[in-house]
């Protein structure tokens, strides 16, 4: 049983490392490639929601965004210290391995569960995003299936799922990982188009916004900003893949600094353009009769399609490992392929069902940020570090910083989760 658990962990670690764009030689990934990998991880759909977060929380939430970025950078360093201080955490280790080193099997199980649930809901968000933005471009694309009439949004969610489904059947994600490297370029394109829409296409920068929003608005902003800096599950394989691991702290500095600059720029541009009229995705505010708007929306639509398979693969691998563990026998190749195809197809279908049932991009994003990302990026790294390193529990500056991060994380976790669930219930009732 222990051997099977170890093998599953190694397989998951290998799946994660395949999503990193490692160099082909055996010396490891270069410094700049590692910077790019981290930046690609941090540059996601959160870019579309930060203007809405700022409009909800007010201009002072820029300070909150910076505080969250610094906190997540610091907890990234804590994960690195956990790896450096323990000989039991080797070069094949993943985030759950650190949890197991700190708290045993319960730690591994807890972190793995939160990681899988996070990735699953991000995949759901991808489908909601696709439906929202394609409906923006083609609002009258209704589909009739017998007596069943599908609106444009529902039809596009199903269509995108059919396009994505074959990519989830691939075991080797090397090609998809290479294609998804365009994520950083896509981020720059969307920011550039937003600037062009405001400065050239006539929208302008006339909105003033609020200095500070309501308590609920501030908590939504905290939750959404927390989502933007969710990348801690990739830190162990990213650090282990580096040629010179002593430079990893500089990789963290680069990744978090550039992503914060990008998110901050997008938040400021969106608020000056649309203020309190912002949707949860800023692309839904863009005028569709402008070329720059179409470029931004199409870029937004294409990017998640290339990343969906990479996002759901760790979840699918965990499900397949669980099925094999329950069967208590080794499968031949044909059975393994059938199980893999069935599990991944059912996984895609389930994300479609959730996306069609709860098509609320902003509230779900806030829930993921408050409940899952805060746990993985704030609470677990601090708890694991304090457990593994006894010296860290002595009173000092480091412990004070950790306690402040735990306090901030706990606040977002409790209040942010409550508000996001309340928003989901209200959205479902309308």
């Amino acid at each position: 049983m222990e051997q099977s658990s170890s093998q599953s962990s190694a397989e998951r670690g290998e799946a994660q490392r395949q999503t990193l764009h490692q160099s082909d030689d055996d010396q490891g990934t270069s410094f700049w490639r590692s910077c790019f990998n981290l930046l690609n991880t941090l540059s996601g759909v959160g870019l579309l929601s930060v203007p809405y977060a700022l409009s909800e929380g007010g201009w002072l939430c820029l300070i909150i965004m910076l505080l969250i970025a610094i906190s997540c950078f610091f907890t990234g360093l804590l994960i690195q210290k956990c790896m450096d201080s323990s000989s039991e955490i080797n070069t094949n280790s993943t985030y759950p391995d650190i949890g197991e080193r700190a708290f045993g099997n319960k730690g591994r199980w807890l972190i793995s569960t939160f990681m899988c649930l996070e990735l699953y809901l991000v995949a759901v968000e991808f489908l909601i995003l696709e439906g929202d933005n394609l409906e923006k471009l083609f609002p009258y694309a209704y589909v009739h299936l017998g007596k069943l009439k599908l609106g444009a949004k529902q039809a596009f969610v199903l269509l995108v799922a059919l396009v994505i489904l074959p990519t989830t059947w691939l075991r080797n994600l090397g090609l998809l990982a290479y294609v998804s490297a365009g994520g950083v370029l896509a981020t720059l394109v969307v920011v550039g188009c937003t600037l062009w829409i405001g400065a050239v296409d006539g929208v302008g920068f006339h909105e003033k916004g609020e200095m500070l929003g309501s308590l609920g608005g501030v908590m939504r902003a905290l939750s959404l900003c927390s989502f933007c800096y969710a990348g801690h599950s990739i830190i162990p394989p990213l650090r282990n893949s580096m040629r010179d691991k002593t430079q990893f702290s500089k990789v963290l500095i680069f990744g978090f600094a550039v992503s914060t600059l990008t998110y901050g720029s997008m938040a400021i541009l969106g608020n000056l353009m649309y203020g309190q009229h912002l949707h949860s995705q800023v692309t839904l505010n863009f005028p569709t009769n402008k070329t720059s708007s179409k470029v931004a929306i199409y870029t937004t639509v294409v990017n998640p399609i290339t990343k969906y398979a990479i996002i759901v693969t760790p979840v699918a691998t965990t499900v397949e490992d669980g099925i094999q563990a329950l069967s208590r026998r080794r499968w031949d190749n044909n059975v393994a392929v059938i199980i893999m195809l069935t599990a991944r197809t059912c996984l895609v279908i389930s994300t479609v069902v959730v996306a069609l049932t709860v098509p609320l991009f902003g509230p779900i994003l806030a829930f993921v940020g408050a409940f899952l990302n805060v746990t993985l990026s704030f609470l677990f790294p601090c708890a694991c570090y304090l457990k593994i390193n006894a010296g860290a529990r002595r009173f000092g500056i480091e412990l004070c910083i950790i306690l402040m991060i735990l306090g901030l994380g706990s606040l977002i976790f409790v209040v942010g989760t409550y508000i996001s669930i309340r928003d989901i219930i209200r959205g479902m009732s309308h």
Side-chain angles (χ1 to χ4, degrees):
M1 190 70 176
E2 291 179 359
Q3 184 178 0
S4 174
S5 175
S6 174
Q7 183 180 2
S8 300
S9 173
E11 290 173 353
R12 283 192 294 271
E14 181 61 28
Q16 282 183 300
R17 286 192 298 280
Q18 284 180 350
T19 67
L20 302 174
H21 317 299
Q22 294 178 318
S23 56
D24 294 331
D25 55 31
D26 295 330
Q27 295 180 347
T29 310
S30 67
F31 170 78
W32 287 110
R33 182 66 66 86
S34 298
C35 289
F36 176 82
N37 286 332
L38 179 60
L39 189 58
N40 192 37
T41 301
L42 295 175
S43 302
V45 296
L47 182 74
L48 305 181
S49 67
V50 285
Y52 173 73
L54 195 59
S55 71
E56 285 285 297
W59 288 105
L60 288 178
C61 281
L62 286 172
I63 300 175
I64 292 176
M65 181 188 296
L66 181 60
L67 181 62
I68 289 175
I70 294 173
S71 298
C72 290
F73 163 73
F74 186 81
T75 54
L77 290 178
L78 294 185
I79 291 178
Q80 180 188 17
K81 289 183 178 181
C82 286
M83 301 180 72
D84 291 338
S85 64
S86 177
S87 59
E88 297 180 29
I89 302 177
N90 55 40
T91 55
N92 294 324
S93 295
T94 61
Y95 196 0
D97 291 328
I98 297 175
E100 183 177 19
R101 174 68 182 87
F103 299 105
N105 288 330
K106 291 181 179 179
R108 168 180 289 280
W109 177 85
L110 197 59
I111 290 179
S112 296
T113 300
F114 273 77
M115 283 176 55
C116 287
L117 185 56
E118 175 200 27
L119 294 173
Y120 180 85
L121 289 179
V122 169
V124 171
E125 286 285 68
F126 280 168
L127 293 178
I128 297 174
L129 180 148
E130 298 290 304
D132 287 342
N133 283 276
L134 287 171
E135 182 187 35
K136 172 79 173 178
L137 292 174
F138 309 103
Y140 303 109
Y142 299 106
V143 174
H144 292 271
L145 298 175
K147 295 183 179 181
L148 179 63
K149 179 181 178 181
L150 296 177
K153 181 174 180 177
Q154 292 77 17
F156 281 124
V157 168
L158 291 175
L159 177 62
V160 169
L162 289 174
V163 172
I164 287 173
L165 180 60
T167 68
T168 65
W169 297 336
L170 302 175
R171 283 192 176 275
N172 188 345
L173 298 180
L175 178 59
L176 281 175
Y178 179 77
V179 173
S180 76
V184 175
L185 178 60
T187 297
L188 297 177
V189 169
V190 173
V191 174
C193 287
T194 303
L195 177 61
W196 185 274
I197 292 167
V200 179
D201 284 342
V203 174
F205 304 101
H206 309 300
E207 296 290 336
K208 295 181 179 180
E210 298 181 355
M211 187 58 64
L212 184 65
S214 63
L215 176 61
V218 171
M219 293 310 303
R220 290 187 193 95
L222 280 167
S223 301
L224 292 169
C225 289
S226 299
F227 179 90
C228 294
Y229 295 100
H232 287 59
S233 60
I234 207 70
I235 285 178
L238 177 60
R239 183 258 188 190
N240 287 331
S241 72
M242 286 191 67
R243 184 180 308 156
D244 183 2
K245 297 177 177 57
T246 61
Q247 291 189 310
F248 185 67
S249 58
K250 296 179 181 178
V251 171
L252 290 176
I253 292 173
F254 177 88
F256 280 96
V258 174
S259 60
T260 300
L261 180 63
T262 305
Y263 284 132
S265 300
M266 192 68 172
I268 293 171
L269 288 173
N271 267 271
L272 291 176
M273 290 165 63
Y274 299 108
Q276 299 302 307
H277 306 291
L278 275 160
H279 293 284
S280 59
Q281 304 166 58
V282 68
T283 49
L284 300 182
N285 289 96
F286 292 167
T288 54
N289 61 336
K290 302 294 183 180
T291 301
S292 55
S293 298
K294 293 179 180 179
V295 170
I297 295 174
Y298 279 124
T299 303
T300 299
V301 166
V302 170
N303 198 30
I305 293 177
T306 65
K307 289 186 175 183
Y308 183 97
I310 294 173
I311 288 293
V312 301
T313 291
V315 184
T317 303
T318 301
V319 172
E320 292 160 20
D321 288 344
I323 294 173
Q324 185 167 27
L326 289 174
S327 68
R328 295 183 178 180
R329 63 186 181 87
R330 195 166 186 85
W331 302 328
D332 59 39
N333 288 337
N334 292 332
V335 174
V337 169
I338 293 173
I339 294 294
M340 184 268 290
L341 293 176
T342 303
R344 299 188 181 205
T345 301
C346 290
L347 189 61
V348 173
I349 293 173
S350 69
T351 60
V352 171
V353 172
V354 176
L356 293 177
T357 306
V358 193
L360 305 171
F361 184 85
I364 293 179
L365 203 70
F367 172 77
V368 175
F371 184 71
L372 299 172
N373 295 153
V374 162
T375 307
L376 291 169
S377 302
F378 283 71
L379 306 181
F380 283 161
C382 292
C384 291
Y385 180 68
L386 291 175
K387 180 68 173 179
I388 292 174
N389 296 276
R393 298 193 287 271
R394 299 194 196 96
F395 184 78
I397 295 178
E398 183 181 62
L399 181 60
C400 290
I401 295 175
I402 290 174
L403 292 176
M404 286 191 291
I405 292 175
L406 287 172
L408 176 62
S410 299
L411 174 66
I412 302 173
F413 179 83
V414 174
V415 183
T417 300
Y418 166 75
I419 290 177
S420 61
I421 292 176
R422 186 188 65 183
D423 289 344
I424 290 173
I425 294 173
R426 286 179 177 177
M428 292 294 295
S429 64
H430 291 313

